[in-house]
Amino acid sequence: MKKVYLDNAATTRVRDEVISAMLPYFTEYYGNPSSLHLFAREAAKGLDAARAQVAAALNATPQEIVFTGGGSEGDNMVLRGIARAYQKQGAHIITSAVEHHAVLHTLEALEKEQGLSVTYLPVDEYGRVSAAQVEQAIRPDTILVSIMFANNEVGTIMPVEEIGRVCRAHKVLFHTDAVQAVGHVPIDVEAMHIDLLSLSAHKFHGPKGVGALYVRKGVRLPALITGGGQERKKRAGTENVPGIVGMGVAIELAVAELAENTKAMCALRDRLISGMEARIPEIKLNGHRSQRLPNNVNFSIRYIEGESILLMLDLNGIAASSGSACTSGSLDPSHVLLAMGLTHEVAHGSLRLTLSRYTTPEEIDYVLEILPPIIEKLRAMSPLYQGGQN
Ligand SMILES: *Cc1c(COP(=O)(O)O)cnc(C)c1O
């Protein structure tokens, strides 16, 4: 059976070059980078190189990069850390209704536990907030704006540079969860006035369980994980050296190939979008047509459940997702689609297909061949659907 992986927003295949770069750090340079010997020095050199690679990818300096255990940890570290370090300045944070749960659930916890005040900005029909909305929400006690770079479900890219400009003008710190954007969209923390940025290696063909946080020089950010003095006392624990080395190589390659990959991926994405629109009646593209990640396709397919489409696709070797991986398994419709104004019924019938550099035109054509009859069959069984009979 064919195997087609179109769930790259959930995680990606690790690149061969990344694996090769990691291997010696398991078997040869396995010293603890904090120790004082040859094995340790080699490991520490690996960390230094990766720090420089991550910094270069963002137009940051190596001193501004903190290695983390992934995107969720980075988001937690920023939200919990800024709330604590800046509590004298205020206790108000601005975010959007469509953030990843790593941001939303953390802020909800801070509201309950520490009396933090949070503004959840509504989004437009494409899933965007505007810089004007952010500006209107800023109060004298606002300490942080946290708006994602690009949405993991519908692929919508936020006006990050404009939001950054507003935050800078009002002297409010700006964090962006860029987990979906890194390697897909050019990022420049200086030009975009970003003060804090979280990223995660496994979303750009690096290993899982490792990420990085950009922390602008001068921003006070206490450790979330305390213990030893690693990462300039910002993140205790022996470093995941092979993982970090792999992330460095993955981000360098992703950024070097960005322009070329974007072109190829947008072409495949648009082939899938127009192919589905031509072959399947009563479907609606979720998210923005142009302000969209090159690898994201998300449709609402009326009258049927996303989960039943997934099961049928899986039987044909196609890996996809409905909404986000975190919400699948529960019957709640996606908070992102609801925030964009979709009804519960329509939000339930959503299908997300996310591409990668490994996706081929043949795979897209296979999906376009398999998917329409699946949807026809499911609709024929749906009590909500009258189209076939009338
Ligand atoms: C995947 C993802 C995260 C979580 O990253 P992990 O490394 O899996 O913890 C956070 N935010 C966004 C937008 C994501 O897509």
Side-chain angles (χ1 to χ4, degrees):
M1 186 174 67
K2 271 206 175 73
K3 283 202 285 181
V4 177
Y5 186 76
L6 291 173
D7 197 17
N8 287 283
T11 196
T12 58
R13 190 212 131 141
V14 179
R15 284 179 78 140
D16 295 337
E17 303 94 315
V18 169
I19 297 173
S20 315
M22 289 172 71
L23 284 176
Y25 291 87
F26 289 106
T27 52
E28 287 175 67
Y29 316 133
Y30 49 81
N32 186 320
S34 301
S35 299
L36 298 172
H37 47 62
L38 179 67
F39 297 79
R41 276 193 299 278
E42 288 299 334
K45 263 197 246 165
L47 293 185
D48 288 346
R51 205 181 300 282
Q53 285 164 317
V54 173
L58 305 173
N59 191 26
T61 64
Q63 295 76 27
E64 294 171 309
I65 303 301
V66 180
F67 296 130
T68 66
S72 302
E73 184 185 317
D75 288 340
N76 267 266
M77 190 171 161
V78 168
L79 300 171
R80 293 177 189 277
I82 296 296
R84 186 145 59 89
Y86 289 82
Q87 57 188 330
K88 282 211 181 73
Q89 278 85 344
H92 177 236
I93 293 182
I94 297 168
T95 191
S96 83
V98 297
E99 299 295 308
H100 190 273
H101 283 143
V103 168
L104 289 180
H105 289 169
T106 304
L107 286 173
E108 283 160 19
L110 287 170
E111 284 179 290
K112 280 205 194 95
E113 293 160 13
Q114 303 183 20
L116 189 84
S117 162
V118 181
T119 299
Y120 299 91
L121 293 175
V123 295
D124 66 13
E125 60 181 309
Y126 305 111
R128 278 182 313 181
V129 296
S130 68
Q133 277 177 283
V134 172
E135 184 156 41
Q136 276 159 22
I138 291 177
R139 315 191 310 212
D141 62 339
T142 306
I143 50 172
L144 180 72
V145 169
S146 182
I147 303 282
M148 68 201 319
F149 208 114
N151 187 269
N152 47 300
E153 293 189 32
V154 296
T156 299
I157 299 169
M158 296 286 194
V160 170
E161 192 170 342
E162 286 88 334
I163 295 171
R165 206 174 301 132
V166 161
C167 292
R168 187 60 53 87
H170 290 268
K171 300 193 167 62
V172 172
L173 293 175
F174 176 37
H175 166 244
T176 187
D177 172 342
V179 173
Q180 288 291 332
V182 171
H184 291 292
V185 188
I187 299 179
D188 182 327
V189 292
E190 288 304 326
M192 296 173 169
H193 306 301
I194 296 165
D195 298 306
L196 299 131
L197 177 147
S198 12
L199 61 86
S200 181
H202 75 104
K203 302 286 177 82
F204 51 85
H205 304 291
K208 293 170 182 56
V210 56
L213 198 58
Y214 159 74
V215 185
R216 178 176 293 281
K217 187 170 180 285
V219 172
R220 303 195 304 274
L221 192 70
L224 185 67
I225 312 287
T226 52
Q230 292 92 349
E231 296 300 294
R232 299 165 162 247
K233 298 212 175 91
K234 281 188 164 44
R235 207 275 190 175
T238 302
E239 299 87 344
N240 174 1
V241 180
I244 290 167
V245 167
M247 171 168 65
V249 172
I251 202 168
E252 185 171 88
L253 289 170
V255 171
E257 297 169 0
L258 193 143
E260 189 188 327
N261 275 340
T262 300
K263 222 171 138 214
M265 230 183 281
C266 285
L268 285 183
R269 174 196 72 185
D270 296 340
R271 182 188 185 117
L272 183 53
I273 290 176
S274 53
M276 283 180 68
E277 286 176 333
R279 289 169 178 79
I280 309 168
E282 295 197 70
I283 60 173
K284 181 186 166 291
L285 183 72
N286 293 315
H288 202 278
R289 264 184 209 268
S290 58
Q291 291 305 305
R292 181 178 204 98
L293 286 173
N295 71 335
N296 178 287
V297 175
N298 186 312
F299 274 103
S300 279
I301 301 173
R302 292 206 66 176
Y303 313 115
I304 46 182
E305 300 267 315
E307 281 68 26
S308 42
I309 309 173
L310 289 189
L311 290 177
M312 302 280 273
L313 285 176
D314 187 39
L315 287 174
N316 288 281
I318 300 168
S321 163
S322 70
S324 77
C326 321
T327 46
S328 53
S330 88
L331 283 175
D332 294 336
S334 145
H335 68 284
V336 174
L337 297 178
L338 293 181
M340 287 161 57
L342 272 68
T343 64
H344 275 244
E345 186 225 314
V346 175
H348 263 303
S350 80
L351 177 67
R352 181 185 75 181
L353 300 154
T354 43
L355 290 58
S356 82
R357 63 191 301 278
Y358 296 107
T359 308
T360 63
E362 291 72 34
E363 290 178 331
I364 297 300
D365 293 343
Y366 177 64
V367 174
L368 289 174
E369 176 197 321
I370 295 292
L371 189 55
I374 287 179
I375 287 169
E376 210 171 305
K377 215 182 287 173
L378 289 171
R379 278 181 174 166
M381 298 189 294
S382 165
L384 300 167
Y385 186 59
Q386 300 298 317
Q389 287 90 319
N390 297 350

